[in-house]
Amino acid sequence: MGLESGEQELSPESFKRLDPVEVHGIPFHKGTARRWRLISEFKARPDDLVICSYPKSGTTWIQEIVDMIRHGGDPQKCEKTPIYKRMPFLEMPHPVVSPLEELEAMTSLRTIKTHLPVQLLPPSFWEQNCKIIYMARNPKDNVLSYFHFHRMNQTYPDPVTWNQFLENFLAGKVLWGSWFDHVRGWWEAKDHHPILYLFYEDMKEDPGREIQKVAQFLDFELPELVLNKIIQHTTFERMKANPMTNYSTLPSFILDQTVSSFMRKGMVGDWKSNFTVAQSEKLDGICDQLLRNSGLTFRTQL
Ligand code: PPS
């Protein structure tokens, strides 16, 4: 599987701070946009599991939990390979890994990470009725985490300033588009598809309870002992120290962790350190308007 005929793969050096390119009205990284036809034609298998989220919602956390559940709580089985190799990122923009080729070569059961909005998920996933786990995080902590990720991810557009980035986020003019449309679109999809919709804040509040929900969704029974091992292995501190989950295996021309860590704070309520009162009220107003009548609510503190 390759790019459109005649196209060359982009060199790592050319990935520096690229402007987004729109695909079906959603801003994407140029590396994703170039592969769009291949991504949209992806052939799912019925036993594929999709882990989906808006960027910076706790995707890596839920990925590690799923892998631990599938390996009976044995951390050694999860510590051999970086998380982005174990569960390829479908529309991954940069060239150090080729997720489409890797996915094709993988034996079942595959777990696939994506940040795609619901309307752009490749049709094959719906046709094959694949299970999907969706992870959502409150917009204030989500946008702050996304801002810091733009600072350290050298391939993403320059966030310029916090004020500027927040304005872009509120307008949906950031990579992967509007947070509001994303969380709402997937929330509505769960009424007609096997989707487990989880919240970062619930995970922080009671990881054991949420891990049990995931296990049940995947048809696993978790004895107390195994559950406790999974809880311990997937704490923020353990995952921050674990090279297989903290993305330290990616080169610094992609993720410069001297600017900000991939595992940064892992908190609910960190937004309070950055938002002005006016910014917080503005976001609340937009949230009320865009999530109205959806039944979807978010906790911004525990
Ligand atoms: S990505 O790049 O979109 O896949 O990033 P993603 O994994 O979705 O989100 C990264 C944020 O999730 C936090 N995180 C965790 N929080 C609590 N516990 C655990 N175990 C955990 N693992 C990852 C990570 O720290 C990022 O949030 P911030 O607020 O920036 O710290």
Side-chain angles (χ1 to χ4, degrees), residues 74-131:
D74 182 351
Q76 284 180 343
K77 297 218 168 90
C78 305
E79 276 170 0
K80 291 185 186 132
T81 330
I83 193 75
Y84 55 83
K85 287 264 180 197
R86 282 178 273 154
M87 301 180 181
F89 179 12
L90 185 66
E91 71 274 18
M92 182 182 245
H94 41 67
V96 276
V97 284
S98 302
L100 296 172
E101 289 88 336
E102 289 188 350
L103 279 164
E104 237 180 38
M106 256 180 160
T107 54
S108 299
L109 303 166
R110 304 185 298 188
T111 304
I112 301 162
K113 166 183 166 176
T114 182
H115 293 314
L116 291 175
V118 69
Q119 72 278 15
L120 294 186
L121 190 76
S124 181
F125 287 108
W126 304 116
E127 287 154 17
Q128 298 295 340
N129 207 31
C130 298
K131 284 186 182 177

Side-chain angles (χ1 to χ4, degrees), residues 47-66:
D47 56 4
D48 284 341
L49 173 68
V50 180
I51 295 183
C52 182
S53 59
Y54 191 81
K56 313 321 285 181
S57 306
T59 330
T60 317
W61 192 5
I62 203 73
Q63 285 179 275
E64 190 67 3
I65 287 170
V66 165

Side-chain angles (χ1 to χ4, degrees), residues 10-20 29-31 93-95 150-159 175 251-256 258-259:
L10 295 173
S11 69
E13 297 73 35
S14 66
F15 263 64
K16 215 109 187 95
R17 300 284 184 206
L18 293 174
D19 287 335
H29 194 282
K30 189 175 175 187
H94 41 67
H150 275 70
R151 291 176 53 238
M152 62 91 83
N153 189 327
Q154 302 303 303
T155 77
Y156 278 15
D158 185 345
L175 296 174
S252 59
F253 66 78
I254 295 181
L255 299 187
D256 185 348
T258 63
V259 175

Side-chain angles (χ1 to χ4, degrees), residues 53-61 63 113 115 137 141 144-146 148-149 156 200 204 234-237 239 247 261-267 270:
S53 59
Y54 191 81
K56 313 321 285 181
S57 306
T59 330
T60 317
W61 192 5
Q63 285 179 275
K113 166 183 166 176
H115 293 314
R137 186 179 193 182
D141 285 319
L144 183 58
S145 179
Y146 208 13
H148 287 295
F149 193 58
Y156 278 15
Y200 183 94
K204 285 296 286 189
T234 56
T235 61
F236 175 74
E237 293 71 23
M239 285 185 57
Y247 279 81
S261 300
F262 184 90
M263 298 283 169
R264 197 181 55 88
K265 290 201 179 166
M267 287 170 56
D270 184 37

